[in-house]
């Protein structure tokens, strides 16, 4: 399939999910007790040692896929350490050797479950200056609302991590729901179209080549 043939998202939702507020408020009030997986704990411990030893800004690139976005963010923030996290070893294994550490920036790619990794990062008092969520799986079926990050039990930890949070998606409802969920935590922001001359992720490049638009929110959670 060529980049110009990426299909648009199809959903049985016409707007923000009717149960979003109820779901988010429940997660804000509840304690997340899921045990931390051993493999994510081990991965976090290894990365955390590098983060604690680094004297500079920390940037998170969550759901980084093949890591192209992490490499591009490192080039844009050469004084920072970018940590790209994805649950798929298959995607991370596709990371091109040309993106390895260079004088263009520093970054680490790690395979981990974000439901655990984010909690560990909060417990370790990570204070990222930026946190990117670029084109996460939208789970467009209405019944899958709890699989979207803003509808999941882990959502409060995204807020606790702080930093300048940037969310992009080719599905406007996803970003609008995320903005509404943030509003329920006392953080209000606008959703707007995002355009640029340079795509920094493979999905972004495919969507734009197919004539699809990107929707974005940016909010300072510090």
């Amino acid at each position: 399939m060529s980049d110009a043939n990426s299909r648009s998202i199809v959903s049985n939702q016409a707007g923000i999910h009717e149960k979003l507020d109820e779901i988010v408020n429940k997660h804000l009030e509840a304690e997340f007790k899921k045990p931390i997986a051993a493999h994510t704990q081990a991965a976090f411990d290894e990365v955390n040692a590098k983060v604690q030893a680094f004297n500079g800004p920390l940037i998170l690139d969550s759901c980084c896929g093949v890591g192209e976005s992490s490499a591009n963010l490192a080039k844009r923030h050469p004084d920072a350490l970018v940590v790209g996290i994805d649950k798929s070893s298959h995607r991370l294994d596709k990371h091109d050797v040309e993106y390895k550490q260079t004088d263009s920036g520093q970054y680490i790619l790690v395979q981990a479950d974000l439901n655990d990794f984010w909690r560990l990062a909060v417990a370790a008092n990570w204070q990222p200056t930026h946190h990117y969520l670029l084109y996460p799986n939208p789970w467009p079926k209405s019944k899958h609302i709890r699989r979207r990050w803003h509808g999941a039990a882990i959502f409060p930890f995204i807020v606790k991590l702080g930093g300048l949070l940037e969310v992009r998606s080719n599905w406007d409802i996803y970003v609008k729901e995320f903005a509404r969920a943030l509003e329920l935590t006392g953080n209000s922001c606008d959703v707007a179209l995002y355009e640029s001359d340079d795509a920094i992720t493979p999905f972004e490049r495919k969507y734009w080549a197919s004539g699809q638009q990107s929707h974005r929110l940016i909010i300072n959670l510090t």
Side-chain angles (χ1 to χ4, degrees), residues 102-113:
T102 69
D103 56 5
S104 297
Q106 303 178 73
Y107 64 97
I108 301 169
L109 299 182
V110 56
Q111 180 194 358
D113 182 343

Side-chain angles (χ1 to χ4, degrees), residues 145-163:
I145 174 65
R146 289 175 177 81
R147 299 186 185 182
R148 303 170 198 162
W149 288 125
H150 48 273
I154 193 62
F155 174 72
F157 289 86
I158 299 175
V159 179
K160 290 176 182 178
L161 276 169

Side-chain angles (χ1 to χ4, degrees), residues 105-147:
Q106 303 178 73
Y107 64 97
I108 301 169
L109 299 182
V110 56
Q111 180 194 358
D113 182 343
L114 283 165
N115 288 285
D116 295 345
F117 198 94
W118 283 333
R119 286 186 289 156
L120 290 168
V122 169
N125 197 34
W126 281 20
Q127 296 181 329
T129 57
H130 299 73
H131 186 185
Y132 292 89
L133 267 170
L134 305 179
Y135 307 95
N137 189 332
W139 294 105
K141 292 183 179 179
S142 178
K143 66 180 181 180
H144 290 155
I145 174 65
R146 289 175 177 81
R147 299 186 185 182

Side-chain angles (χ1 to χ4, degrees), residues 1-205:
M1 180 180 292
S2 70
D3 283 354
N5 288 328
S6 182
R7 290 181 296 178
S8 299
I9 290 177
V10 177
S11 175
N12 56 343
Q13 271 186 239
I16 291 177
H17 198 285
E18 60 183 7
K19 293 186 177 180
L20 179 66
D21 285 21
E22 175 187 341
I23 291 169
V24 173
N25 283 324
K26 178 181 178 180
H27 291 152
L28 290 173
E29 296 169 1
E31 182 180 356
F32 195 176
K33 297 181 178 181
K34 175 181 173 289
I36 302 291
H39 65 85
T40 296
Q41 180 73 64
F44 178 81
D45 289 344
E46 182 177 349
V47 175
N48 187 45
K50 297 177 181 178
V51 169
Q52 300 301 337
F54 184 75
N55 185 24
L58 172 65
I59 294 175
L60 299 186
D61 182 22
S62 297
C63 306
C64 69
V66 298
E68 181 179 337
S69 54
S70 303
N72 283 321
L73 290 170
K75 292 176 182 178
R76 295 185 180 191
H77 303 274
D79 60 334
L81 176 63
V82 177
V83 178
I85 313 110
D86 199 274
K87 68 178 181 180
S88 171
S89 60
H90 177 69
R91 285 193 288 265
L92 291 172
D93 287 344
K94 291 182 178 181
H95 190 67
D96 198 323
V97 292
E98 70 179 273
Y99 292 127
K100 297 303 181 184
Q101 314 306 331
T102 69
D103 56 5
S104 297
Q106 303 178 73
Y107 64 97
I108 301 169
L109 299 182
V110 56
Q111 180 194 358
D113 182 343
L114 283 165
N115 288 285
D116 295 345
F117 198 94
W118 283 333
R119 286 186 289 156
L120 290 168
V122 169
N125 197 34
W126 281 20
Q127 296 181 329
T129 57
H130 299 73
H131 186 185
Y132 292 89
L133 267 170
L134 305 179
Y135 307 95
N137 189 332
W139 294 105
K141 292 183 179 179
S142 178
K143 66 180 181 180
H144 290 155
I145 174 65
R146 289 175 177 81
R147 299 186 185 182
R148 303 170 198 162
W149 288 125
H150 48 273
I154 193 62
F155 174 72
F157 289 86
I158 299 175
V159 179
K160 290 176 182 178
L161 276 169
L164 190 68
L165 176 67
E166 179 166 345
V167 181
R168 296 182 204 167
S169 176
N170 61 324
W171 188 34
D172 63 330
I173 290 177
Y174 189 97
V175 187
K176 290 174 180 177
E177 284 187 346
F178 209 115
R180 174 55 185 165
L182 288 170
E183 186 177 358
L184 294 172
T185 72
N187 294 279
S188 297
C189 61
D190 295 325
V191 174
L193 289 175
Y194 172 71
E195 296 178 331
S196 174
D197 292 332
D198 300 307
I200 67 170
T201 86
F203 281 120
E204 192 163 67
R205 189 162 49 250

